[in-house]
Structure formats: C-alpha cells, structure tokens
C-alpha cells in the first residue's frame, strides 16, 4: 500500500523523477530475491529466475495476485501463506514485494522478536505495520540538466588564509542541450562532487540548484562510438531538450514509521540512523 502526497505541478510542467532515501539493507537469507521468476504468462521460468526456484504452483498463484494489484483490482487486503517451516513462505513474500517494485516496503519479523523487544507487543506490531506502508512525497525543485561537453579545471593554487590549509580549485563546466550551450564557473566543492561521481565529457547529468547534488543519468547516445567495448552497466540516454534550467518534481519514498521517527526525535532526519527508536507516543502519529 502506498500513499502519494503531491502539490500542483508548475505551470510549465515537467517530467517526474524518483529519488528515494538511502537505506541500509542487511544481507540475509532472502537478499538475493529480485522477483517471483515468472514469465509474461505467469509460468515459472526454467532453471530458476530472479533468485527463485521450486514452489511453482504457489509462485503462479502469487503472480496472479501481483498482477491484480498492479492493475488496481485488489488493494488493502491480506494474504495468508501457510506451510511447514523452510518451504519458502518468506521467499515468496519477498518475491511479491520485489515484483511490485523496488519502492514497495517489505518487513519481516518473527514471534520471538515481539517478545524480546523492550516495548509492548502492541507497539512492536504497530511499528512493523507502519514500516510496511509506503508514502510518496512529491517536492518541486530547480535543476540543471544537460550533456557535459567539457570539464576544465584550472591549476590549483595555495590560499592566503592561514585557516584554510591546502589548495583551492577553480574550473569551468560546459553543459549543453539540443537547443543551447552554457559555461558555468566551478568552485572547489563542485569540482570534488564531479570527481566523486566520475563525471566526464559525454555524460548526461542533473545538478540540484538547492543542494548542489550531482546525479549522473548515463552516457549520451552521441558518444556511443567513442569506445570499442563498454561494460554492461553503461547506460545510454538522449541529450536533453529545451532549457538547461528546469523545474522537476522529485519523489521521496519513505514509510509511515520513518515519518513517526522523524517527528518524535529532536534530531529529525538523523534519528533514522540511531538504531532502536523505542516506543512512539500515539500523539506523534496523530
């Protein structure tokens, strides 16, 4: 289940991009599962697929449920998977969550966890339930999107300020679209950010004007013949059209529990990385 919160789009309109919060995922017994391993006719693929093997009838039945959810024919219902220990119930549940999309929350817990946690059983079950409900929050932001034509970094020189030891860098970045080309001056932070993302000429990037975050979208199709061989992870995209500066809607994917944690702690967003959150007051959730 997911809830989308959005504001009215800008008058000029713009495409919607998805950006999610970085989560730390534990490597466990089911971390390799990426789907139910079914083809278009909901038949299990031979030899195993997407980390799933065996339980063909159960996977086919859950595949029917997945398709009904995707088509909006079912929602807000519970599915009970019954079977002996070790028969793949958790694996099929994980496969269903992955089949519905990477942004679909998946929470697993055992009965022993409910009794071992230092909180009431009602609170433990409530937190598990709210961890499983995703929320999409739309935010409008101004970005610069274009193909990198050239990155020129000037010779670094020592700064005169004694407090700032080291070197200062300056440079220029040339971005273009199909309609225009512009040169931007770069400071030390932007140069370091470009180096961290390993941005080179021919890459298509976006720069968030508010935070300065750089996202590499892929390589431009115009540079597809620069090398004889490329890795399988190389992604080619079209050169952007129109203006370099655009307004886009950015989607943040969070769970209701993460919102509860942020609202219940003074440190706000950083509370998500503090570990055990303890009991959360009902006033916070309301």
């Amino acid at each position: 289940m997911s809830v989308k919160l959005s504001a009215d789009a800008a008058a000029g309109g713009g495409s919607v991009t998805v950006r999610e919060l970085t989560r730390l995922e534990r490597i466990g017994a089911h971390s390799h599962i990426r789907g139910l391993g079914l083809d278009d006719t909901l038949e299990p693929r031979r030899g195993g697929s997407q980390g799933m093997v065996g339980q063909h009838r159960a996977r086919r039945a859950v595949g029917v449920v997945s398709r009904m959810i995707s088509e909006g024919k079912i929602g807000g219902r519970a599915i009970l998977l019954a079977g002996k220990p070790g028969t793949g119930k958790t694996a099929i549940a994980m496969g269903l969550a992955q089949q519905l999309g990477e942004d679909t929350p998946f929470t697993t817990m055992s009965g022993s966890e409910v009794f071992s946690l230092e909180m009431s059983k009602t609170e433990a079950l409530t937190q598990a339930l709210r961890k499983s409900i995703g929320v999409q929050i739309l935010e409008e932001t101004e970005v610069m999107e274009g193909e990198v034509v050239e990155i020129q970094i000037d010779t670094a020189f020592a700064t005169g300020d004694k407090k700032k030891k080291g070197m200062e860098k300056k440079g220029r970045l040339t971005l273009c679209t199909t309609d225009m080309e512009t040169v931007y001056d770069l400071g030390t932070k932007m140069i370091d950010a470009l180096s961290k993302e390993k941005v080179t000429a021919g890459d298509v990037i976006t720069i968030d004007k508010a935070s300065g975050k750089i996202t590499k979208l892929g390589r431009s199709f115009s540079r597809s013949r620069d090398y004889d061989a490329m890795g399988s992870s190389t992604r080619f995209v079209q050169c952007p059209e129109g203006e370099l500066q655009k307004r886009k809607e950015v989607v943040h994917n969070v769970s209701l529990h993460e919102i509860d944690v942020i609202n219940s702690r003074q440190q706000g967003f950083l509370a998500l990385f503090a570990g055990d959150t303890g009991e959360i007051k009902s006033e916070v959730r309301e």
Side-chain angles (χ1 to χ4, degrees):
M1 176 180 179
S2 64
V3 182
K4 182 177 288 187
L5 305 177
S6 63
D8 293 337
S15 60
V16 177
T17 58
V18 176
R19 183 176 66 193
E20 66 175 349
L21 299 175
T22 302
R23 292 186 177 90
L24 300 177
E25 182 179 353
R26 182 182 66 180
I27 302 300
H30 305 98
S31 301
H32 64 287
I33 296 176
R34 293 294 176 262
L36 293 171
L38 305 175
D39 57 20
D40 295 337
T41 61
L42 299 182
E43 290 294 331
R45 299 188 181 96
R46 293 184 178 181
S49 177
Q50 296 180 317
M52 296 291 289
V53 293
Q55 294 291 1
H56 293 175
R57 294 178 61 187
R59 287 160 56 192
R60 190 183 303 113
V62 175
V64 174
V65 175
S66 173
R67 180 165 294 182
M68 292 177 66
I69 295 174
S70 301
E71 295 176 354
K73 297 180 179 179
I74 184 175
R77 302 296 181 89
I79 303 173
L80 176 62
L81 300 179
K84 297 180 180 180
T87 53
K89 299 185 297 296
T90 305
I92 292 177
M94 170 69 84
L96 174 60
Q98 295 290 340
Q99 191 80 18
L100 294 174
E102 295 181 356
D103 299 329
T104 303
F106 180 79
T107 306
T108 178
M109 65 184 307
S110 61
S112 59
E113 293 178 6
V114 178
F115 290 94
S116 62
L117 294 175
E118 296 180 355
M119 63 177 67
S120 66
K121 302 176 184 62
T122 302
E123 177 65 18
L125 294 174
T126 301
Q127 289 191 13
L129 178 62
R130 294 178 72 83
K131 286 179 183 178
S132 305
I133 301 177
V135 179
Q136 290 186 330
I137 303 176
L138 272 67
E139 176 188 14
E140 282 193 357
T141 182
E142 290 189 1
V143 299
M144 294 184 296
E145 183 178 82
E147 177 184 340
V148 178
V149 179
E150 181 184 13
I151 301 177
Q152 181 178 354
I153 301 176
D154 297 337
T155 304
F157 58 91
T159 59
D161 193 347
K162 295 181 179 180
K163 297 181 180 179
K164 299 181 180 179
K165 297 181 181 180
M167 311 293 283
E168 184 179 355
K169 303 176 184 177
K170 290 186 177 181
R172 287 177 291 276
L173 171 66
T174 305
L175 289 178
C176 75
T177 64
T178 56
D179 300 331
M180 62 182 299
E181 180 176 313
T182 307
V183 179
Y184 297 96
D185 293 328
L186 299 176
T188 303
K189 291 184 178 180
M190 289 299 297
I191 293 175
D192 293 340
L194 289 170
S195 300
K196 182 179 179 181
E197 295 294 330
K198 299 180 181 179
V199 176
T200 59
D203 290 336
V204 178
I205 64 173
T206 61
I207 303 176
D208 191 327
K209 294 185 65 176
S211 62
K213 180 181 178 181
I214 298 175
T215 303
K216 185 160 63 172
L217 304 179
R219 295 283 296 175
S220 175
F221 275 112
S222 61
R223 301 296 185 100
S224 60
R225 298 184 179 180
D226 288 358
Y227 305 97
D228 294 333
M230 293 187 181
S232 58
S233 60
T234 304
R235 178 187 177 191
F236 290 99
V237 296
Q238 295 288 351
C239 180
E241 301 177 353
E243 299 287 334
L244 278 167
Q245 298 189 26
K246 304 173 183 177
R247 293 187 64 87
K248 283 197 172 183
E249 290 182 348
V250 180
V251 181
H252 303 277
N253 297 295
V254 296
S255 67
L256 290 182
H257 177 68
E258 290 172 336
I259 296 177
D260 295 339
V261 173
I262 293 173
N263 293 333
S264 64
R265 298 291 186 270
Q266 291 183 352
Q267 57 266 45
F269 175 76
L270 296 178
L272 294 175
F273 306 96
D276 186 17
T277 60
E279 294 201 14
I280 299 176
K281 298 180 179 179
S282 59
E283 294 82 1
V284 174
R285 295 193 175 106
E286 295 176 355

